[in-house]
């Protein structure tokens, strides 16, 4: 009964709302008096603004009437204002407590309904030419609401309307409130709409945007500057033609001027930070040059770089990103990102940066040294990545620059390495870098791994630099081996082992931090050993290095990337191994891999690494989102990754690795993997030593005795037997590895070469992966089927409930209709003298209530009198010694029985 009564109340309320809105709309459309129509519009606007139910009711029937008012009542400004304000109220979400995500949102529904109305957009655009301020203001608000929720439909409509964009652009020259609203509208309108972008630019958008920015005070301005820059970025993003127009018409002086800091004491509030970040985003878009598919992208990018450098943008970027450490960290990171984009692949800009000096006399130092200092000493991970990106961009395909930096690598005495000399600007770039590399000896592994990242950029694809740095020896601590010298390569492996050992300890580093340190050091080793046999020889000179790597590859507590990188280093020790020492040659390395890990398990490490989330999400450079009003609150402050959350999960790679491991390094690892697979199979399939069997050696020499001849033949046969046994052992091990994978070789495949074996291994892995995926799909299918059955049953039950409710509603409607018909018939019969039924009912109800109250009062008086008599009699009986309770027992029963007997007598 409660559910049914609630349903009736809800139905009644909806019906009431619909009738109420319908009456108001009827007054608006059919009213005779203008004041009455205006009052109806004002009343309708008030209820629609405050109640979502009224928004729904209005959306169902009100839009055609409001649009007709806008068409036919253009001379009545007050009525047009009221109609527009009512439409704004109907499209504005009402703030209330968040409900279910599936809850109906009337404002969104109304936006969709209004956008579907014929000639709605053209009518609204025509209202922008009206003289009344509020008419233009409300019209822009309606268009913005439509564009926010139905962008594609509105964009298509505006393109079909003559001078539609022109009218919107004219609003930028209107009063300030209108101008700001038009800016928001154009910002939404130009997102991912290339045709509209071209028209907006043709209408003089660049001149108007920079004019507004200058009026507002450039970067010191308010949110209007942010809106202007967001509109500018929409016009330039992936659009080479618009970039060319900006460069050749307005120029880039106004843009560079925004980056200029003013005043003696620089203050940065949140809005100024956002404005500068938006301007830096514009610089990045120009340095990108356009979309990847544009054939003229590279030429346009180079022209943008040249123009920006001519406008002294590098000096402003160095001030924001490097020289002024009081600038917010988000701006510093964005500025350094722009510096990296400016110099990458451009020899002139790289030389320009290398020649820059920062600071004031006498505390001046090269810009590259200042960038390295920030990289080593910053406490913010994002700032380290941004500084690292500059040095990577400087070294990429820059052999002369790499040689120049490598030439400054001069070891410092151990006595100078006990602390980091942060303010010593006299240190060379290389000395500072080596200083950072050796700080791991004091337990500061993070600084050492950062320095290792820079060293990997210097060594990349440069054999002479690798050989040169290989000769550098670091002085050990005085108490360690009496201060003996140690190669820098060995020191880095030592730090790698320390980072691994700290995982099992409760100390400074969490699991994710260790993976970050280990990954960067392993990246350095991979880069250093690539195509450098001397580095491989130096690495293998210390026997524990090979043992440690084997343990690292097979250690399941390490992350997937760490095991994969260690497997790559082992593979490099095979493919770039030129040693003739039987304990360090490629055969020895392959034997160790086969015995300690197993070839199948070893190759599996590569597959796991390639499928890891870090490798999949790797980015060639830092990426920044657009600074819109809705996203700025979460983007102004760049914070480090929270390692506490990651430490709760096992074997997770540090998320920062997706930025440090660029696409070039990923491609290097992939190419090395193919070479490693082929080389290991080749080594495994041939004898350890190739012995040339010369028939002449089997003959006895003239000066050789029989005993010596027999002894030489015996030695030759023993050597051959050793080689055969070694080959049989290799084949047995390989067969064991293949057996573990569950596959068997066909007879014709057993004698095939290394390439066939690689293909077999690949096919086997693919089959195993396909089987695993098939099992997962089967499980998911079963789960989905069970869920489908459950939802089908629930849908059936819901449908039955709805059907019963619908039947009840229909019956109520029919009964209501019948009653209304009867009332109408009675009214017709009684004409004007027909009595008011409701009033009669109310009077009868009041009279009955009064009578009942009087009778109740009389009864209460009688009962009071009787009770007093009973109390007196009870007191008297007690005085006489009578038991009152016993006397009263059965009186009610006797009275009842007597009553029954009386009734029978009456019958």
């Amino acid at each position: 009964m409660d559910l049914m009564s609630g349903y009736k109340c809800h139905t009644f309320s909806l019906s009431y709302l619909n009738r109420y809105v319908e009456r108001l709309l009827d007054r608006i459309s059919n009213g005779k008096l203008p004041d009455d129509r205006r009052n109806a519009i004002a009343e309708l606007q008030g209820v629609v603004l405050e109640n979502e139910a009224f928004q729904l009711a209005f959306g169902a029937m009100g839009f055609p009437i409001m649009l007709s008012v806008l068409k036919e009542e253009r001379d009545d400004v007050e009525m047009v204002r009221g109609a527009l304000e009512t439409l704004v109220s109907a499209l504005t979400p009402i703030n209330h407590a968040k409900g279910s995500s599936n809850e109906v949102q009337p404002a969104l529904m109304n936006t969709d309904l209004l956008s579907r109305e014929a000639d709605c957009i053209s009518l609204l655009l025509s209202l922008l030419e009206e003289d009344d301020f509020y008419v233009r203001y409300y019209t822009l608000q309606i268009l913005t609401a439509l564009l926010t929720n139905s962008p594609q439909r509105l964009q298509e409509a505006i393109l079909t309307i003559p001078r539609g964009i022109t009218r919107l652009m004219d609003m930028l020259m209107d009063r300030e409130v209108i101008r700001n609203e038009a800016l928001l509208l154009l910002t939404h309108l130009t997102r991912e709409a290339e045709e509209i972008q071209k028209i907006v630019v043709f209408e003089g958008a660049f001149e108007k945007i920079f004019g507004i920015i200058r009026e507002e005070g450039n970067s010191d301005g308010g949110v209007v500057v942010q809106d202007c820059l967001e509109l500018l970025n929409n016009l330039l993003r992936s659009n080479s033609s618009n970039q060319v127009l900006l460069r050749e018409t307005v120029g880039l002086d106004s843009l560079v001027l925004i980056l200029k800091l003013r005043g003696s004491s620089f203050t940065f509030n949140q809005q100024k930070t956002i404005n500068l970040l938006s301007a830096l985003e514009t610089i990045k878009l120009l340095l990108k040059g356009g979309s990847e598919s544009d054939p003229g992208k590279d030429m346009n990018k180079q022209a943008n770089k040249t123009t920006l450098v001519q406008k002294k943008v590098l000096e402003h970027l160095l001030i924001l990103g490097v020289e002024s450490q009081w600038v917010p960290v988000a701006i510093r990171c964005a500025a350094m990102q722009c510096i990296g984009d400016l110099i990458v692949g451009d020899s002139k800009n790289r030389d320009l940066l290398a020649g820059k000096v920062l600071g004031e006399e006498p505390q001046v130092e090269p810009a590259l040294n200042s960038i390295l200092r920030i990289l080593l000493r910053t406490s913010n991970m994002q700032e380290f990545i941004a500084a690292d990106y500059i040095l990577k961009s400087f070294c990429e395909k820059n052999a002369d620059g790499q040689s120049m930096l490598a030439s400054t690598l001069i070891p410092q005495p151990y006595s100078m390495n006990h602390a980091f000399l942060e303010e010593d600007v006299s240190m060379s770039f290389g000395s500072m870098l080596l200083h950072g590399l050796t700080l791991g000896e004091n337990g500061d592994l993070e600084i050492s791994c950062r320095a290792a990242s820079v060293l990997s950029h210097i060594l990349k694809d440069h054999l002479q630099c690798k050989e040169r740095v290989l000769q550098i020896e670091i002085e050990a601590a005085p108490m360690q081996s009496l201060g003996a010298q140690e190669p820098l390569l060995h020191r880095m492996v030592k730090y790698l082992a320390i980072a691994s050992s700290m995982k099992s300890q409760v100390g400074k580093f969490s699991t994710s931090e260790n993976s970050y340190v280990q990954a960067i050091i392993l990246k350095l080793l991979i880069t250093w050993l690539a195509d450098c046999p001397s580095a491989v020889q130096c690495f293998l000179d210390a026997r524990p290095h090979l043992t440690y790597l084997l343990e690292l590859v097979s250690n399941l507590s390490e992350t997937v990337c760490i095991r994969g990188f260690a497997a790559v280093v082992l593979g490099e020790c095979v493919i770039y191994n030129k040693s003739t020492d039987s304990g360090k040659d490629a055969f020895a390395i392959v034997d160790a891999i086969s015995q300690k890990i197993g070839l199948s398990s070893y190759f599996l490490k590569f597959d796991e690494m390639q499928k890891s989330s870090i490798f999949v999400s790797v980015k060639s450079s830092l990426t920044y989102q657009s600074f819109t009003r809705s996203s700025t609150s979460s983007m102004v402050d760049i914070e480090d990754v929270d390692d506490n959350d990651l430490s709760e999960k096992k074997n997770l790679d540090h998320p920062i690795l997706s930025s440090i491991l660029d696409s070039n390094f990923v491609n290097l690892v992939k190419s090395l993997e193919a070479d490693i697979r082929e080389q290991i199979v080749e080594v495994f399939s041939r004898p350890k030593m190739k012995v040339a069997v010369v028939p002449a050696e089997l003959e006895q020499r003239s000066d050789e005795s029989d005993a010596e001849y027999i002894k030489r033949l015996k030695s030759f046969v023993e050597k051959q037997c050793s080689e055969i046994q070694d080959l049989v052992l290799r084949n047995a091990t390989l067969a064991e590895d293949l057996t573990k994978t569950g596959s068997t070789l066909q007879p014709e495949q057993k004698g095939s070469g290394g390439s066939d074996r690689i293909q077999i291994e690949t096919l086997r892995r693919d089959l195993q992966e396909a089987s695993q995926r098939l099992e997962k799909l089967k499980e998911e299918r079963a789960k989905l089927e069970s869920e489908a059955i459950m939802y089908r049953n629930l849908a059936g039950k819901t449908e039955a409930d709805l059907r019963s409710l619908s039947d009840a509603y229909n019956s109520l409607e029919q009964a209501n209709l019948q009653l209304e018909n009867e009332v109408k018939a009675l009214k017709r019969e009684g004409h004007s003298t027909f009595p008011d039924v409701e009033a009669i009912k109310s009077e009868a109800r009041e009279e009955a209530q009064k009578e009942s109250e009087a009778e109740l009062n009389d009864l209460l008086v009688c009962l009071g009198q009787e009770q007093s008599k009973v109390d007196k009699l009870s007191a008297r009986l007690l005085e006489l010694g009578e038991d009152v309770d016993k006397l009263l027992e059965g009186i009610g029963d006797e009275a009842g029985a007597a009553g029954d007997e009386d009734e029978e007598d009456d019958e």
Side-chain angles (χ1 to χ4, degrees), residues 329 332-333 336 374-375 377-389 446-447 449-450 509 512-513 516-517 520 622 624 638-643 654-657 659-660:
V329 64
R332 296 204 304 268
C333 292
M336 285 191 285
I374 291 173
L375 181 146
R377 63 186 283 193
T378 181
S379 59
N380 187 283
M381 188 67 68
Q382 297 289 347
E383 191 173 11
F384 153 63
I385 294 174
D388 184 75
Y389 177 65
E446 187 173 359
I447 291 181
C449 85
R450 292 182 182 184
F509 293 96
S512 58
E513 286 174 324
Y516 148 63
V517 171
I520 292 183
L622 285 177
Y624 290 89
I638 294 183
E639 299 180 355
D640 288 331
V641 177
D642 189 0
D643 288 327
H654 200 290
I656 292 298
L657 292 181
S659 298
I660 296 175

Side-chain angles (χ1 to χ4, degrees), residues 890-902:
I891 291 177
D893 297 335
E894 293 172 0
D900 294 339
E901 292 175 0
D902 293 337

